[in-house]
């Protein structure tokens, strides 16, 4: 039962603490902390802006902070392993973009579908994959989430469909997932993520058309981190207003460096699409600190000063930390302890992944066919001898 409402002033942003107390004992049952979002956090196209206030409990806020720290430590571990040549091939990190996956997962239902491109490690973890399984997969080990066969681009979890290596190909797949939700009359939607570099792919616009034609519960999310593979968005796109690219589909440009803004936008998009209004386009305006992939230093087409400025003024983890301290939700010591625990967790899981063996050679033949549908022989062989699976 509600008994008291306490308002705590802060200098930079409106904040409200709402406490519920028991009439019998007067002790707090729960406490909600509300934050006002900035007007510039949302720019809309043919739709209203999401509400500019969000509320969370202390436990929820600290969990989001923990998730963002674990995600960053995970990617830093991957960075170190790649540089030590324990990870080979392609590897695309999301350092700087943690607010997108954490805010989206907070807003999404467990029934919702999420599909993205190759910058997928953070999404895999937050959708239920273990740190050990992700690191092991990156190293091609047996305990990897795809049994060491997929690597950086091919990771999957519950209602998370990768990790896709073909630029933009995940967007029509995401439209298909939205079709599944509608066909099954399920209260769910799909979040299909793609980068600013993939935004010019023809299949993206084909997916837009089909989603609107059938009013599918599809949320198309452009992670605009300002640069493709060595090319700035302004050099590759005649229009960088990606949230308007749907034309006949409404869109919202979101401050993708603020986990609260991402949460509120994704919650709005989920409500919009699952209520029968059709698809919606979100443009998450975010930033990656590293290069496009590990083979890209990321400094030939942008300045080191720009990267440092973004780190010092727009970092999503530092931004959330400042809000939690400034509003009295948590002390600096509490947050440092969360950071310490996150670092220890990633270090232990990474060590365990290093101890995982390589897949046996016979695994080259496994998981190719659905069990029970294996052929009696392989076509193209010189002899028609029976091939045992």
């Amino acid at each position: 039962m509600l008994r008291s409402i306490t308002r705590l002033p802060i200098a930079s942003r409106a904040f409200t603490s709402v406490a519920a107390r028991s009439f019998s004992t007067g002790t707090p049952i729960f406490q909600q902390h509300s934050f006002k979002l900035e007007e510039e956090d949302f720019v809309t196209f043919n739709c209203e802006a999401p509400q500019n206030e969000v509320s969370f409990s202390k436990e929820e806020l600290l969990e989001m902070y923990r998730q963002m720290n674990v995600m960053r430590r995970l990617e830093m571990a991957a960075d170190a392993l790649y540089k030590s040549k324990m990870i080979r091939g392609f590897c695309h990190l999301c350092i700087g973009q943690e607010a997108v996956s954490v805010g989206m997962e907070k807003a999404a239902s467990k029934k919702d579908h999420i599909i993205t491109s190759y910058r997928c490690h953070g999404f895999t973890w937050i959708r239920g994959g273990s740190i050990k399984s992700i690191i092991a997969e990156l190293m091609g080990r047996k305990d990897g989430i795809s049994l060491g066969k997929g690597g950086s681009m091919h990771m999957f979890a519950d209602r998370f469909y990768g990790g896709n290596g073909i630029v933009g190909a995940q967007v029509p797949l995401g439209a298909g997932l939205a079709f599944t939700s509608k066909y099954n009359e399920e209260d769910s939607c799909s979040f299909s993520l793609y980068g600013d570099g993939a935004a010019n792919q023809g299949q993206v616009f084909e997916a837009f058309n089909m989603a609107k034609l059938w009013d599918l519960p599809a949320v198309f999310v452009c992670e605009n981190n300002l640069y493709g593979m060595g090319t700035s968005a302004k050099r590759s796109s005649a229009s960088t207003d990606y949230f308007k690219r749907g034309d006949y589909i409404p869109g919202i440009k979101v401050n993708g460096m603020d986990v609260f803004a991402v949460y509120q936008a994704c919650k709005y998009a989920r409500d919009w699409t699952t209520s029968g209004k059709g698809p919606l386009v979100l443009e998450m305006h975010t930033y990656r600190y590293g290069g496009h992939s590990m083979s890209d230093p990321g400094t030939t087409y942008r300045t080191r000063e720009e990267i440092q400025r973004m780190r010092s003024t727009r970092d999503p983890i530092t931004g959330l930390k400042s809000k939690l301290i400034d509003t009295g939700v948590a002390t600096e010591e509490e947050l440092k302890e969360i950071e310490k625990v996150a670092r220890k967790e990633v270090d232990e899981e990474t060590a365990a992944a290093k101890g995982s063996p390589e897949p046996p050679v016979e695994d080259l033949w496994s998981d190719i066919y659905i069990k029970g549908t294996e052929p009696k022989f392989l076509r193209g062989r010189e002899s028609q001898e029976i091939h045992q699976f």
Side-chain angles (χ1 to χ4, degrees):
M1 299 180 182
L2 290 176
R3 181 175 176 180
S4 66
I5 297 179
T6 327
R7 297 190 181 275
L8 303 178
I10 64 170
S12 59
R13 186 175 288 211
F15 165 78
T16 307
S17 174
V18 182
R21 296 177 180 272
S22 164
F23 274 117
S24 58
T25 64
T27 57
I29 302 173
F30 66 86
Q31 190 171 32
Q32 287 291 109
H33 305 280
S34 298
F35 298 83
K36 289 286 187 182
L37 299 174
E38 303 290 353
E39 186 176 341
E40 58 268 25
D41 284 342
F42 306 116
V43 181
T44 63
F45 171 67
N46 290 340
C47 65
E48 295 180 356
Q51 292 185 354
N52 68 342
E53 184 174 309
V54 292
S55 297
F56 303 102
S57 66
K58 177 176 180 176
E59 290 71 21
E60 290 175 308
L61 292 165
L62 294 185
E63 176 61 12
M64 284 189 282
Y65 187 72
R66 183 190 76 86
Q67 289 173 338
M68 292 171 73
N69 273 276
V70 169
M71 198 173 295
R72 181 161 296 184
R73 296 300 308 186
L74 166 62
E75 295 291 65
M76 290 171 66
D79 179 275
L81 289 168
Y82 192 96
K83 290 173 179 174
S84 64
K85 298 185 178 181
M86 296 188 73
I87 294 175
R88 303 279 185 158
F90 297 98
C91 187
H92 303 79
L93 306 180
C94 69
I95 297 174
Q97 300 183 205
E98 297 88 355
V100 176
S101 48
V102 172
M104 180 179 294
E105 180 64 20
K106 182 63 180 173
S109 161
K110 293 300 180 184
K111 293 182 179 180
D112 293 335
H113 311 277
I114 297 179
I115 187 168
T116 187
S117 61
Y118 31 69
R119 210 174 301 280
C120 64
H121 314 149
F123 279 102
T124 306
W125 175 71
I126 207 162
R127 279 261 116 176
S130 71
I131 297 169
K132 177 185 175 182
S133 70
I134 294 167
I135 295 293
E137 187 62 38
L138 288 169
M139 293 191 294
R141 304 297 179 86
K142 185 177 180 180
D143 291 333
I145 200 161
S146 294
L147 306 180
K149 301 179 181 183
S152 176
M153 295 188 185
H154 305 102
M155 299 187 181
F156 309 91
D158 187 27
R159 298 231 167 180
F160 175 67
Y161 306 85
N164 291 265
I166 302 174
V167 176
Q170 70 278 9
V171 181
L173 292 175
L177 293 169
F179 179 82
T180 301
S181 292
K182 184 167 185 175
Y183 185 83
N184 290 333
E185 298 181 348
E186 189 176 74
D187 180 27
S188 64
C189 66
S190 71
F191 291 90
S192 305
L193 294 106
Y194 55 99
D196 48 282
N200 299 319
Q201 287 279 317
Q203 57 194 327
V204 173
F205 296 94
E206 292 177 41
F208 285 175
N209 180 64
M210 296 181 76
K212 183 56 182 176
L213 190 64
W214 297 333
D215 277 338
L216 301 181
V219 185
F220 298 106
V221 186
C222 177
E223 284 186 285
N224 179 12
N225 57 26
L226 308 185
Y227 297 95
M229 190 163 57
T231 307
S232 70
K234 291 180 180 179
R235 290 183 60 214
S236 65
S237 299
S239 170
T240 56
D241 285 336
Y242 298 105
F243 68 108
K244 297 180 180 179
R245 289 285 193 92
D247 186 17
Y248 37 76
I249 301 176
I252 306 172
K253 181 163 73 172
V254 185
N255 176 8
M257 302 299 274
D258 186 328
V259 68
F260 296 161
V262 173
Y263 163 81
Q264 195 71 334
C266 290
K267 182 175 179 292
Y268 178 95
R270 188 184 190 282
D271 292 343
W272 176 284
T273 56
T274 57
S275 63
K277 294 180 180 178
L280 192 74
V281 176
L282 296 180
E283 176 189 341
M284 297 294 175
H285 208 262
T286 183
Y287 197 82
R288 56 171 167 79
Y289 296 152
H292 173 76
S293 68
M294 291 300 296
S295 61
D296 169 25
T299 54
T300 57
Y301 48 87
R302 57 181 180 173
T303 65
R304 296 182 185 276
E305 288 75 21
E306 176 187 306
I307 300 170
Q308 185 54 43
R309 184 175 68 252
M310 292 297 292
R311 279 183 177 273
S312 59
T313 63
R314 299 284 308 282
D315 185 80
I317 298 177
T318 303
L320 179 57
K321 183 177 185 177
S322 296
K323 291 170 193 168
L324 298 183
I325 293 174
D326 291 348
T327 56
V329 174
T331 64
E332 188 166 0
E333 287 70 28
E334 285 180 281
L335 300 182
K336 282 184 177 179
E337 181 61 25
I338 290 174
E339 295 164 15
K340 179 181 176 182
V341 171
R343 182 168 56 252
K344 181 181 178 183
E345 179 184 0
V346 173
D347 289 347
E348 290 176 349
E349 293 283 294
T350 300
K354 287 180 180 179
S356 176
E358 292 186 357
V361 175
E362 54 267 26
D363 271 8
L364 286 170
W365 303 104
S366 64
D367 301 309
I368 297 173
Y369 299 97
I370 298 173
K371 292 189 182 301
T373 67
E374 299 90 344
K376 300 299 182 183
F377 64 90
L378 292 179
R379 295 182 184 275
R381 293 173 63 88
E382 290 183 5
S383 65
Q384 293 297 312
E385 64 187 58
I386 300 298
H387 183 85
Q388 298 295 329
F389 285 85

